[in-house]
Amino acid sequence: MPTRAEAIARLTAPGEPFELVLVEQYGVPCRAFANAPTTLGALFEETRSDATFLVYDDERYSYDETFRRASAIAAALRTELGVAKGDRVAISMRNYPEWIVAFEAVTSIGGIAVAMNALWEPEEMEYALRDCGARALFADLERLDRLAGCSESLETELELEVISVRATRKPEGAVDFEELLARHADAPMPGAEVDPTDDAIILYTSGSTGQPKGAVSCHRNVLSALLSWELDVQANLIVNGLEAPQLGHQVATLLAVPLFHATGSHAVYLNSYRAQRKIVSMYKWDPEQAAELIEREKITSVIAPAAMTGDLVETAKRTRRDLSTLLSVGGGGAPRAPEQVRRIAESFANAAPGTGWGMTESNAIGTGITAQDYLDRPASSGRCSAVLDLRIVDAGGNELPSGERGELQVRGTSIFRGYWNRPEATAEAFADGRWLRTGDVAYVDDDGFLFIVDRIKDLVIRGGENVGCGEVEAALVEHPHVLEAAVYAVPDERLGEEVGATVYCDAPIDEAELRAFLAGHLARFKIPKYFDIRTTPLPRIASGKIFKRKIRQDAVERLGLTR
């Protein structure tokens, strides 16, 4: 059998479907797919069909119907609401079909879609809207209520057009989504001059310090990620001497992760167009309902963090539902325990486990691993994408040989442009030659498999959600009696990690008071589960920095938690 490298070389050769060519992007040469759609709008146009695209509860929409709805909304944005090329349009809602329609509309006319975290509280929501300078906002009722908790001047200062989605009551000044559709029902998609390197999407990502940063990617960044996944699938078939399974039904995927994350927007949603895959969307995660949907809709793939796939494994063990259509159970966002990898293979008749490593800044691609490779190496994140290069470097930036640990750095066509209005943060994110500093400590074995072993960045990865420790610490010290705070990750059996905090206070405070205070500043998933409240200063190292490693170690031992 050919090796993976030989299979990829065959598939990317001149004249082949995945032919790779060199292009210049952001000032450096990169490998790009010669036959990729030039823009996201072209992708949407090229894949119109009568095949089922979106399923939500009892609603069903074809690819063509979704495109026609997006065309109407795009016409409304352009002619009625004054949205022009380059304007930022925020989307903040549950995984409703309207999220996807809005995304198609905005990116097709050269706007920049801002995928806002639907879990944010008003303070976080206002920060992002001001940071990106949003021209319009699509929001459901829950998010509209949070918008009402923002500054009274916000909408006026931004000249923000608000489009309400599935709202039983419409806020004053908002435009109803369905009314926009009706007014522009037969409008064609407006023409737009959009270049592959024009900005297309902003995804906010929690960094190790301060407020979330808006990661900006162009059309080619995103499309390169989509075709890279396709290439990996084809290469795996060749390496294993297999052909794509011939099914008696449409391929289908379960959308159980939020669309405001790169996993949901890229690996599940956008990756479905060329495959003509049916997307079955859930309002919120419920493993029993997920099993029912897998059986009813003949779901063939699920991609979700370890906590959710673990729930699905447990449900598969006790349910009598037929889950045999499931062919793959993918992951990402946080590592799986090796035992769960084995249990996925054992729990589903035909499903292979898979995972990968990627970042918002890499448009969710980086490395991937599946099937027997994953079972043999459950701690690995896989081998590198064909459109990326990776290296492991020491503290001086010198490349290390296989087996040695250092910082993982990546570069290539899917790597984002930079952070919105944050030139200093952008400069800090890249090493020489636009190598993205990932903040992950890793090594590569002799066979090219990547193993992530630690983090340089001060983050908690809670069920696939990145929680910046610095952001939580900053919120804690706003409390009038909190003088110092250290936030860190503690092990959690289901979520992988939970948020812990040790605080130094100058007056008696209990955990309930701190949680209630943080609820007004942070999304619920960022609020620490574990607190250690002290009346003495936190320990520090010789340089004067808080000795967080010891604080965390003490907390883990006190709680009796182990990895």
Side-chain angles (χ1 to χ4, degrees):
M1 291 292 178
T3 65
R4 181 175 181 272
E6 290 169 341
I8 288 177
R10 182 194 308 175
L11 290 165
T12 59
E16 295 299 320
F18 296 98
E19 177 184 351
L20 288 175
V21 294
L22 276 179
V23 299
E24 185 173 295
Q25 183 165 286
Y26 308 141
V28 297
C30 297
R31 296 185 297 278
F33 292 102
N35 301 314
T38 54
T39 64
L40 288 169
L43 172 71
F44 308 145
E45 176 79 49
E46 292 169 9
T47 54
R48 294 176 66 175
S49 74
D50 293 329
T52 302
F53 181 26
L54 301 174
V55 176
Y56 178 78
D57 286 346
D58 59 353
E59 301 171 35
R60 290 177 180 268
Y61 304 93
S62 70
Y63 278 87
D64 185 67
E65 186 176 3
T66 302
F67 185 85
R68 286 188 278 111
R69 288 164 63 87
S71 298
I73 294 299
L77 289 171
R78 175 71 63 78
T79 62
E80 189 171 334
L81 302 181
V83 173
K85 180 180 177 180
D87 283 346
R88 279 74 63 204
V89 178
I91 307 172
S92 185
M93 67 180 84
R94 294 276 185 172
N95 284 357
Y96 292 130
E98 289 85 351
W99 198 107
I100 288 171
V101 170
F103 185 92
E104 275 201 18
V106 173
T107 54
S108 291
I109 61 173
I112 303 172
V114 183
M116 294 184 64
N117 191 318
L119 303 176
W120 279 341
E121 292 298 316
E123 188 174 307
E124 298 160 302
M125 191 174 185
E126 178 169 349
Y127 167 79
L129 289 170
R130 289 188 181 278
D131 181 64
C132 72
R135 181 72 181 79
L137 167 68
F138 289 86
D140 60 9
L141 185 58
E142 190 175 355
R143 262 46 61 176
L144 291 170
D145 287 343
R146 292 179 192 172
L147 182 67
C150 296
S151 302
E152 290 185 10
S153 61
L154 174 67
E155 293 178 47
T156 302
E157 290 176 5
L158 291 179
E159 299 183 350
L160 185 70
E161 299 284 356
V162 179
I163 301 99
S164 64
V165 174
R166 298 186 184 237
T168 53
R169 46 186 169 77
K170 187 173 67 174
E172 183 179 352
V175 183
D176 182 74
F177 184 93
E178 292 299 328
E179 291 177 4
L180 283 181
L181 268 180
R183 286 201 290 272
H184 300 270
D186 298 319
M189 182 65 75
E193 294 293 329
V194 183
D195 188 82
T197 55
D198 285 340
D199 294 339
I201 184 170
I202 297 176
L203 291 168
Y204 276 86
T205 179
S206 291
S208 55
T209 58
Q211 298 281 11
K213 302 187 291 290
V216 187
S217 291
C218 70
H219 292 260
R220 185 187 286 145
N221 287 149
V222 178
L223 290 160
S224 292
L226 306 185
L227 269 72
S228 181
W229 280 312
E230 292 180 28
L231 173 59
D232 281 344
V233 169
Q234 294 303 314
N236 286 334
L237 291 174
I238 292 173
V239 169
N240 293 290
L242 302 173
E243 294 184 0
Q246 299 300 308
L247 305 176
H249 54 85
Q250 185 182 5
V251 289
T253 191
L254 189 67
L255 177 58
V257 293
L259 281 163
F260 57 76
H261 279 317
T263 298
S265 62
H266 291 35
V268 181
Y269 157 46
L270 290 168
N271 201 32
S272 294
Y273 280 93
R274 283 166 51 100
Q276 292 288 282
R277 188 162 47 205
K278 175 175 65 176
I279 299 173
V280 181
S281 182
M282 300 182 70
Y283 178 78
K284 65 178 181 179
W285 175 243
D286 179 331
E288 297 291 340
Q289 184 192 22
E292 187 271 328
L293 289 171
I294 291 169
E295 180 181 54
R296 188 183 78 203
E297 298 291 341
K298 294 182 170 56
I299 300 292
T300 52
S301 65
V302 174
I303 300 176
M308 293 167 63
T309 55
D311 291 345
L312 195 57
V313 166
E314 292 301 315
T315 302
K317 284 168 54 180
R318 64 175 181 268
T319 186
R320 293 187 177 182
R321 295 197 179 277
D322 179 6
L323 307 182
S324 61
T325 59
L326 203 55
L327 301 179
S328 68
V329 177
R336 286 193 181 105
E339 178 60 25
Q340 188 186 128
V341 179
R342 291 188 287 270
R343 290 173 68 191
I344 289 171
E346 295 166 357
S347 301
F348 304 101
N350 300 307
T355 194
W357 171 91
M359 302 172 65
T360 302
E361 290 87 343
S362 70
N363 282 285
I365 70 161
T367 63
I369 188 169
T370 189
Q372 193 60 48
D373 281 340
Y374 193 20
L375 290 167
D376 292 341
R377 303 169 183 82
S380 175
S381 298
R383 289 186 283 200
C384 190
S385 158
V387 294
L388 294 181
D389 300 310
L390 69 78
R391 68 180 185 180
I392 309 295
V393 300
D394 63 17
N398 303 302
E399 190 164 353
L400 296 171
S402 61
E404 291 197 25
R405 299 182 177 195
E407 184 186 19
L408 169 64
Q409 297 184 353
V410 293
R411 70 176 179 185
T413 325
S414 76
I415 303 301
F416 79 138
R417 174 172 68 77
Y419 297 112
W420 185 261
N421 284 340
R422 300 282 287 273
E424 299 86 1
T426 300
E428 186 180 339
F430 291 101
D432 55 296
R434 277 191 61 88
W435 284 95
L436 176 65
R437 306 177 197 264
T438 69
D440 288 322
V441 179
Y443 70 91
V444 176
D445 70 11
D446 291 336
D447 295 318
F449 287 91
L450 177 73
F451 292 79
I452 307 290
V453 295
D454 202 352
R455 282 197 299 279
I456 300 170
K457 290 182 179 179
D458 201 7
L459 291 175
V460 180
I461 302 182
R462 181 189 180 277
E465 289 276 3
N466 282 6
V467 179
C469 295
E471 181 185 3
V472 182
E473 290 164 353
L476 278 166
V477 297
E478 287 188 25
H479 190 286
H481 294 302
V482 175
L483 303 181
E484 295 179 337
V487 175
Y488 43 80
V490 294
D492 184 86
E493 184 175 348
R494 178 173 178 271
L495 297 172
E497 292 179 340
E498 261 290 2
V499 184
T502 298
V503 295
Y504 163 38
C505 304
D506 64 0
I509 302 176
D510 61 22
E511 293 185 18
E513 181 182 345
L514 283 175
R515 288 196 179 95
F517 174 79
L518 291 175
H521 298 271
L522 299 173
R524 189 184 310 166
F525 70 89
K526 300 176 185 176
I527 296 175
K529 180 178 180 180
Y530 303 103
F531 278 100
D532 178 9
I533 301 173
R534 303 182 181 184
T535 56
T536 56
L538 303 186
R540 294 178 179 270
I541 58 177
S543 67
K545 293 182 179 179
I546 290 174
F547 195 177
K548 187 176 288 190
R549 181 174 295 180
K550 184 178 189 308
I551 291 171
R552 178 190 175 280
Q553 181 180 339
D554 291 346
V556 169
E557 290 176 356
R558 177 177 57 84
L559 295 166
L561 300 171
T562 58
R563 286 198 180 278

